[in-house]
Amino acid sequence: MSRPPSTVPPGRPKTRRGALTPTLIVVALIVVGFIFFASVWTDVLWYQQLGFFEVFLTENLARISLFLTGFAVMFAAVFYAIRIAYHARPVYAPDSDVRDNLNRYQVQLEPVRRVVMVGLPILFGLFAGSAAASQWQKVLLFLNQVPFGQNDPQFGLDISFYLMTLPFFGFITGFLISVTIVAGIAGILTHYLYGSIRIMERGIFTSRAAQIHLAVTGAAFLLLLGVNFWLDRYSSVQNSGGRWAGALYTDVNAVIPTKSILAVAAVLVAVLFIVAAVIGKWRLPLIGTAMLVITSILAGGVYPWVIQQFQVRPSEQTLENEYIKRNISMTRAAYGLDKVQEKRYNATTTATTGALAPDAQTTENIRLLDPNLISDAFSQLEQFRPYYQFPSALNVDRYEVDGKIQDTVIAVRELNPEGLATNQQSWLNRHVVYTHGYGVVAAKGNKFTVDGKPDFLQSGIPSTGVLGNDSTYQPRVYFGENSPEYSIVGAPDGAPHREQDRPAAKEGGGETQYTFTGNGGPNVGSFFNKILYAIKFQSSDLLLSDGVNADSQILYDRNPRDRVEKVAPYLTVDGNAYPAVVDGRVKWIVDGYTTSQYYPYSQQEQLSAATADSQTAANRTVALPNSSVNYIRNSIKATVDAYDGSVTLYAWDDQDPVLKAWQKVFPTSLKPFSEMSGALMSHVRYPEDLFKVQRELLGRYHVTQADSFYTNIDAWSVPNDPTVKEDVKQPPFYMSLKMPDQDRPAFQLTSSFIPQVVNNTPRNVMYGFLAADSDAGNQKGVKADSYGQLRLLQIPPEAQVPGPGQAQNKFNSDPTVSQALNLLRQGASAVLNGNLLTLPVGGGMLYVQPVYLRSTGETSYPTLQRVLVAFGDKIGFAPTLDEALNQLFGGNSGATAGDSANKGQAPATPAPDGATPPAPGTVDANAELKAALDDANAAIKAGQDALAKGDFAAYGDQQKRLAAALQKALDAEGKLPATPAPAPAPSATPSATPAPAPSS
């Protein structure tokens, strides 16, 4: 038997199919697969270590199940649509030209036909599976729903139907419609490609098999469309496109009935398609389809438009009255505004002597330290090392000091890896040596030292103060808002310490080392885990370094908000986590919200817009996501241990049906708030972002009468922050405050209202004041009844109480204040206006603003030098709040402020003829002050001359001389006794201000 002739040309060597390409493909798949495995398995280790593996498992099983279901449904529909169409292809086609064209395409497709017939369904299945997996929360809520016990006013269904059932049905219907459309298109294209559907001169030819296929697909689509029309009836109560949310007159009387008609019509046309598939007559289904399209246009669009334009618009206020009432009632319930205590507050604008006597407890606690300005003061006074840092905005809390509740400004000294010198920026230093911050620093909110520095309650290294010391609380901070990406900690017993712990003392004696002893992260001691985390963090050092030992743990995902979001993925987390010393540990307290956008008749609010203010604009707090909600509850209080990162979730609002549903999904991840310790209870506060959303809604929904709501003549706005240049809202402020109907002060979150801003021209007078009680008590597992109570003071428009903007303008324009501040600004020093606090005391509204001075230089920091106060049209200005209030209220406010002990700082004015001679020592102090001011003026003149000559070295020397002279002036001023303010001269707008400071 002879061999077949070779096809290889003479002289060319024979080639053999190599194994290189398949090998590379296999290796690439293995590498990609292992990287994916590393990502998944490290997540498993993280959740297991934290004790929330149930969350990881439940969420991912739900995602996988939905992905597989979605993939299988789409794959099966597309695959069988193509397969049925292919097997139904005709053997011969009568038109030779068409047959030739189709044959050409078929020939080109044939080599890859099997791949396409399987690959195309797989591709669409992957997309469908991914889309289905993303809806896991809707599915789990539907399967574990809990009734609200409250019905909607239109259909009388429980609210849970709209929040937990209707979204699920909408997802299923929309998904199946997409599957039907994709499978139908795939079937039609296959029929056309193989000749079952042909475009001919006489029209479109379809084979009998193609007709049946198209009829079944059309019937399925129409049935689903009918279901969708029916569900749209219920969705109408969730509408947010009109002037008011929910189903309005046109919806109830036109849209809902026509949706019912369209649903029935779609089902009838679907039946006609099935009949057509059996009898082969297409006239009726085609007529039915045309009628359905026409009906949907007329009944679904034209008819409601006619009703709206010609029936509703001429009598809108009357016809919409009932539905506006529904909107008001349901919106207030959805946002927790239905229990607001409203009270008319006939505020006076006259500052009378002794007016603050009934508010003495509030006055004593007025906060002077601005947590947004004194971060640099904390840094310069308490940082101690460049590898420590404080956040740009500190937090306000309260602690019991000497039997009294003391408002405090608090922060933790966190690690700053960027503070290491360039030659210290090694992998070992960044991830093994420098691993944690150290200690809590807290200052009294209502007091400051004589030279304007914070009056610390807790400070130093080692940490000491009224909150505890190194032996009574754990000061090390491994988990915080500015922690490194990851750290390697832990070592066997007896191993040498490798972590930099802290300086031994303020003066910088020897450094101490430490080894982490908690359970803060997954073990990374095994070679396998080293490989996994080396891949995760793309670091070969992690795999090879001797800094990783058999007992090493890896700490990552260290931001408290991030940790809570990972273990409770169904929550929206508040933008501001805050630290507290609780039961011997530093705990980060994080507020979590359950939200929904499906509450019937409730007004939609965009979270990012509703919570935006000067804090988020300056990136001091985290902005909430750009999502819309119409239902929100502060359902969770979470704590994150700053030492070991352990997360505890407490079911705070245990009556929230949404939270109850999630408790059924994750039964072991939440604890009842009855397990919260008394110490933790004492630091719980009303969350800022919830309050911001509520105040935004309350600007309109404080009106409960439908007629007044319709005219919108009593709408309010949140005032812009007058201390910044941008037009952004004023943030709410925490303070201890006694509202007019309270017996004692409570820690409250407060905000103001002015008339609605129209065309960016606000009328800046006070219309309302809102306070949220933030005291939860201090008993273990017992929530104070008053906690969370919203109190709204409504100020009559005729009272003409100045708003925050007007108060700030009075401060800025007062000539005496300007003169004094200009003196402080000498030498390029910066005068910084602190937060403008508003308090309902003295029968009116009191404004308090601390004024800080910051000199030039890299190591400078703001010091509190003056306090501005305003009441009505009067203002006061003094080195202390106590003096400023006395100025404001006729020489005696009737109460003392927290800084009343800071005496001897007020500037002195030479006594006129016949007046009481100066007290002993005043003459010397005045002389020192005059000499210092003369020296300051001389330094300014010399500096300007040097600058004109281009002698920058001499200019720098004169600036140093000027700074020293100003400091001497401030020191001399501090030796002067307080001088009561002179009685204001009669005028249309009296101004209670101190006598002018001596000028040079």
Side-chain angles (χ1 to χ4, degrees):
M1 183 176 180
S2 62
R3 292 183 179 178
S6 175
T7 59
V8 179
R12 180 179 296 178
K14 295 183 178 180
T15 58
R16 297 167 57 187
R17 179 171 300 190
L20 180 60
T21 300
T23 301
L24 291 176
I25 293 174
V26 171
V27 170
L29 291 175
I30 292 175
V31 170
V32 171
F34 191 75
I35 292 174
F36 177 75
F37 170 79
S39 176
V40 173
W41 193 248
T42 52
D43 278 347
V44 169
L45 296 176
W46 188 88
Y47 279 96
Q48 282 184 330
Q49 182 276 325
L50 204 56
F52 285 87
F53 183 66
E54 171 196 64
V55 175
F56 175 85
L57 188 63
T58 303
E59 177 184 345
N60 283 281
L61 284 178
R63 287 180 178 273
I64 292 170
S65 300
L66 287 172
F67 176 86
L68 294 177
T69 302
F71 176 87
V73 171
M74 180 64 82
F75 175 87
V78 177
F79 177 79
Y80 282 107
I82 295 174
R83 182 181 178 87
I84 290 171
Y86 175 75
H87 285 291
R89 67 191 185 281
V91 179
Y92 299 105
D95 191 314
S96 60
D97 292 336
V98 174
R99 184 175 64 245
D100 290 341
N101 290 331
L102 293 177
N103 286 341
R104 188 181 306 115
Y105 293 127
Q106 293 169 11
V107 168
Q108 293 175 353
L109 180 63
E110 188 59 30
V112 293
R113 176 179 57 79
R114 294 181 182 276
V115 175
V116 171
M117 292 180 66
V118 175
L120 201 61
I122 289 176
L123 179 63
F124 283 109
L126 292 174
F127 285 117
S130 299
S134 67
Q135 304 298 313
W136 66 276
Q137 293 194 20
K138 291 181 181 178
V139 175
L140 291 182
L141 276 179
F142 170 73
L143 297 175
N144 297 275
Q145 59 185 285
V146 173
F148 274 65
Q150 176 188 359
N151 297 336
D152 81 282
Q154 177 60 37
F155 296 101
L157 298 174
D158 191 271
I159 301 298
S160 62
F161 171 80
Y162 298 96
L163 270 66
M164 304 177 192
T165 301
L166 190 58
F168 171 76
F169 286 164
F171 154 61
I172 295 297
T173 304
F175 179 80
L176 293 178
I177 288 176
S178 300
V179 169
T180 304
I181 292 174
V182 172
I185 293 173
I188 290 172
L189 291 177
T190 306
H191 278 299
Y192 176 77
L193 181 62
Y194 286 97
S196 296
I197 298 176
R198 295 193 299 277
I199 300 175
M200 305 173 65
E201 293 182 359
R202 297 186 302 273
I204 299 176
F205 168 78
T206 55
S207 67
R208 178 64 176 155
Q211 291 179 4
I212 296 175
H213 191 169
L214 293 177
V216 172
T217 301
F221 174 77
L222 288 166
L223 285 173
L224 292 170
L225 190 63
V227 173
N228 196 58
F229 280 136
W230 190 260
L231 294 178
D232 280 347
R233 298 166 62 253
Y234 302 107
S235 300
S236 63
V237 300
Q238 300 167 332
N239 288 344
S240 59
R243 290 182 60 187
W244 309 279
L248 305 179
Y249 182 89
T250 300
D251 297 307
V252 172
N253 294 279
V255 175
I256 292 176
T258 56
K259 291 290 184 182
S260 302
I261 294 171
L262 289 172
V264 174
V267 173
L268 292 176
V269 177
V271 173
L272 293 179
F273 269 88
I274 299 297
V275 172
V278 175
I279 66 176
K281 302 293 184 180
W282 288 87
R283 185 180 185 86
L284 287 178
L286 292 178
I287 294 175
T289 301
M291 292 300 296
L292 180 62
V293 172
I294 295 172
T295 303
S296 63
I297 294 173
L298 294 178
V302 176
Y303 176 60
W305 180 84
V306 171
I307 294 295
Q308 181 67 30
Q309 294 297 316
F310 299 103
Q311 185 174 352
V312 175
R313 285 189 63 182
S315 307
E316 187 175 51
Q317 184 170 359
T318 302
L319 295 180
E320 300 288 21
N321 187 278
E322 177 186 352
Y323 308 104
I324 293 175
K325 289 180 180 178
R326 295 179 179 182
N327 172 246
I328 295 172
S329 174
M330 300 297 280
T331 298
R332 288 172 63 91
Y335 289 96
L337 303 177
D338 50 342
K339 295 180 176 62
V340 175
Q341 290 184 2
E342 300 181 14
K343 180 178 181 179
R344 183 180 175 90
Y345 186 58
N346 295 311
T348 180
T349 56
T350 304
T352 58
T353 302
L356 296 184
D359 302 293
Q361 292 177 296
T362 295
T363 307
E364 184 182 5
N365 285 302
I366 294 176
R367 179 169 52 78
L368 297 174
L369 292 191
D370 184 346
N372 300 322
L373 292 183
I374 62 169
S375 175
D376 287 343
F378 272 49
S379 296
Q380 291 299 323
L381 299 173
E382 289 294 326
Q383 183 171 310
F384 300 140
R385 290 293 187 270
Y387 52 79
Y388 289 135
Q389 66 178 328
F390 289 98
S392 59
L394 311 185
N395 283 283
V396 179
D397 200 352
R398 69 281 193 202
Y399 288 85
E400 185 174 332
V401 179
D402 297 330
K404 294 183 177 180
I405 299 299
Q406 171 72 59
D407 284 10
T408 61
V409 177
I410 188 170
V412 294
R413 190 185 291 110
E414 293 199 55
L415 183 66
N416 177 24
E418 303 304 323
L420 298 175
T422 304
N423 61 356
Q424 292 179 298
Q425 295 283 350
S426 65
W427 181 91
L428 192 71
N429 271 343
R430 292 179 67 90
H431 299 289
V432 177
V433 177
Y434 294 92
T435 59
H436 60 276
Y438 193 90
V440 166
V441 178
K444 297 176 182 178
N446 61 341
K447 298 180 182 179
F448 54 96
T449 64
V450 174
D451 54 354
K453 298 175 184 177
D455 187 359
F456 290 108
L457 289 166
Q458 188 76 22
S459 61
I461 292 182
S463 183
T464 57
V466 298
L467 308 188
N469 54 49
D470 287 11
S471 62
T472 59
Y473 88 101
Q474 174 55 263
R476 296 169 182 86
V477 180
Y478 284 88
F479 294 83
E481 294 179 309
N482 295 289
S483 298
E485 181 184 16
Y486 68 93
S487 294
I488 309 296
V489 299
D493 293 339
H497 300 308
R498 304 197 66 161
E499 298 178 50
Q500 176 68 26
D501 192 29
R502 59 171 174 80
K506 283 187 178 181
E507 58 274 10
E511 309 286 328
T512 63
Q513 277 69 46
Y514 181 75
T515 298
F516 179 78
T517 59
N519 179 23
N523 181 275
V524 73
S526 68
F527 182 73
F528 182 68
N529 282 5
K530 286 182 185 179
I531 293 176
L532 295 180
Y533 282 103
I535 292 173
K536 180 179 181 66
F537 293 108
Q538 301 179 15
S539 172
S540 59
D541 295 294
L542 197 152
L543 182 62
L544 303 174
S545 173
D546 65 349
V548 185
N549 57 66
D551 290 342
S552 289
Q553 302 172 42
I554 183 166
L555 313 181
Y556 60 98
D557 288 337
R558 300 163 76 172
N559 187 293
R561 294 183 71 258
D562 294 342
R563 293 177 80 80
V564 173
E565 285 176 339
K566 286 190 69 172
V567 301
Y570 49 89
L571 292 180
T572 299
V573 176
D574 190 89
N576 188 16
Y578 60 99
V581 179
V582 177
D583 301 322
R585 311 283 282 199
V586 178
K587 300 279 190 180
W588 292 96
I589 302 176
V590 185
D591 287 285
Y593 310 116
T594 46
T595 62
S596 177
Q597 59 180 329
Y598 301 116
Y599 201 94
Y601 277 101
S602 178
Q603 192 68 36
Q604 294 274 350
E605 275 295 325
Q606 191 179 59
L607 287 178
S608 59
T611 59
D613 58 16
S614 59
Q615 293 289 85
T616 57
N619 295 319
R620 296 191 185 107
T621 58
V622 179
L624 291 193
N626 188 23
S627 58
S628 293
V629 303
N630 64 5
Y631 173 86
I632 186 169
R633 290 289 185 271
N634 178 209
S635 53
I636 295 289
K637 298 287 186 184
T639 63
V640 178
D641 193 290
Y643 182 72
D644 62 18
S646 56
V647 179
T648 307
L649 303 178
Y650 296 100
W652 185 249
D653 187 351
D654 53 3
Q655 300 304 308
D656 175 27
V658 179
L659 180 64
K660 290 181 178 180
W662 285 117
Q663 283 182 289
K664 293 173 66 177
V665 177
F666 306 114
T668 66
S669 65
L670 298 178
K671 293 183 177 181
F673 74 82
S674 59
E675 295 187 20
M676 296 174 71
S677 68
L680 178 56
M681 278 285 187
S682 67
H683 293 287
V684 164
R685 68 188 193 187
Y686 200 83
E688 288 182 73
D689 284 330
L690 172 61
F691 185 80
K692 291 178 188 178
V693 173
Q694 289 176 320
R695 74 174 181 177
E696 190 71 20
L697 268 298
L698 206 56
R700 289 187 64 198
Y701 286 89
H702 68 277
V703 178
T704 56
Q705 298 299 318
D707 291 337
S708 299
F709 192 88
Y710 175 85
T711 56
N712 203 36
I713 58 174
D714 193 24
W716 299 343
S717 293
V718 176
N720 286 335
D721 191 340
T723 65
V724 299
K725 296 179 180 179
E726 298 80 11
D727 289 336
V728 289
K729 297 171 190 171
Q730 188 179 43
F733 298 116
Y734 288 104
M735 65 180 83
S736 288
L737 172 68
K738 181 170 75 72
M739 292 289 281
D741 63 338
Q742 289 182 288
D743 297 329
R744 59 181 179 81
F747 193 63
Q748 317 238 23
L749 184 57
T750 65
S751 185
S752 305
F753 292 103
I754 61 174
Q756 185 178 38
V757 177
V758 180
N759 297 326
N760 294 322
T761 55
R763 182 168 172 259
N764 212 290
V765 293
M766 284 281 284
Y767 269 26
F769 181 83
L770 180 66
D773 195 314
S774 294
D775 275 340
N778 57 8
Q779 299 182 36
K780 180 181 184 301
V782 179
K783 188 192 309 183
D785 294 336
S786 60
Y787 172 85
Q789 179 63 61
L790 294 174
R791 294 180 173 88
L792 177 64
L793 301 181
Q794 298 200 35
I795 302 172
E798 60 271 16
Q800 294 293 304
V801 176
Q806 285 191 16
Q808 188 68 59
N809 287 336
K810 288 181 182 294
F811 293 155
N812 296 341
S813 61
D814 185 88
T816 304
V817 174
S818 298
Q819 181 183 5
L821 295 183
N822 286 334
L823 172 64
L824 294 176
R825 291 190 181 98
Q826 298 295 325
S829 295
V831 174
L832 307 175
N833 291 326
N835 45 207
L836 182 62
L837 303 180
T838 308
L839 302 96
V841 295
M845 302 304 295
L846 172 70
Y847 291 99
V848 178
Q849 183 175 61
V851 179
Y852 293 82
L853 178 68
R854 180 170 189 157
S855 61
T856 56
E858 294 181 356
T859 59
S860 65
Y861 56 88
T863 57
L864 198 156
Q865 296 296 328
R866 297 290 185 274
V867 181
L868 284 161
V869 294
F871 192 97
D873 290 327
K874 286 187 176 183
I875 68 170
F877 181 58
T880 66
L881 174 61
D882 194 62
E883 295 173 48
L885 291 176
N886 285 333
Q887 289 178 15
L888 191 62
F889 291 93
N892 180 15
S893 68
T896 57
D899 64 348
S900 58
N902 287 13
K903 297 298 183 183
Q905 286 194 329
T909 303
D913 292 341
T916 304
T922 303
V923 175
D924 292 338
N926 275 325
E928 292 177 16
L929 178 60
K930 185 177 184 305
L933 293 175
D934 290 342
D935 192 22
N937 279 330
I940 293 172
K941 185 176 184 303
Q944 291 173 343
D945 293 341
L947 192 61
K949 297 176 182 179
D951 189 348
F952 295 103
Y955 175 75
D957 293 338
Q958 293 302 322
Q959 291 299 301
K960 293 179 182 177
R961 176 188 171 191
L962 175 60
L966 287 174
Q967 186 59 52
K968 289 180 181 178
L970 291 173
D971 293 341
E973 186 186 22
K975 299 176 182 178
L976 296 172
T979 303
S987 64
T989 55
S991 175
T993 57
S999 65
S1000 55

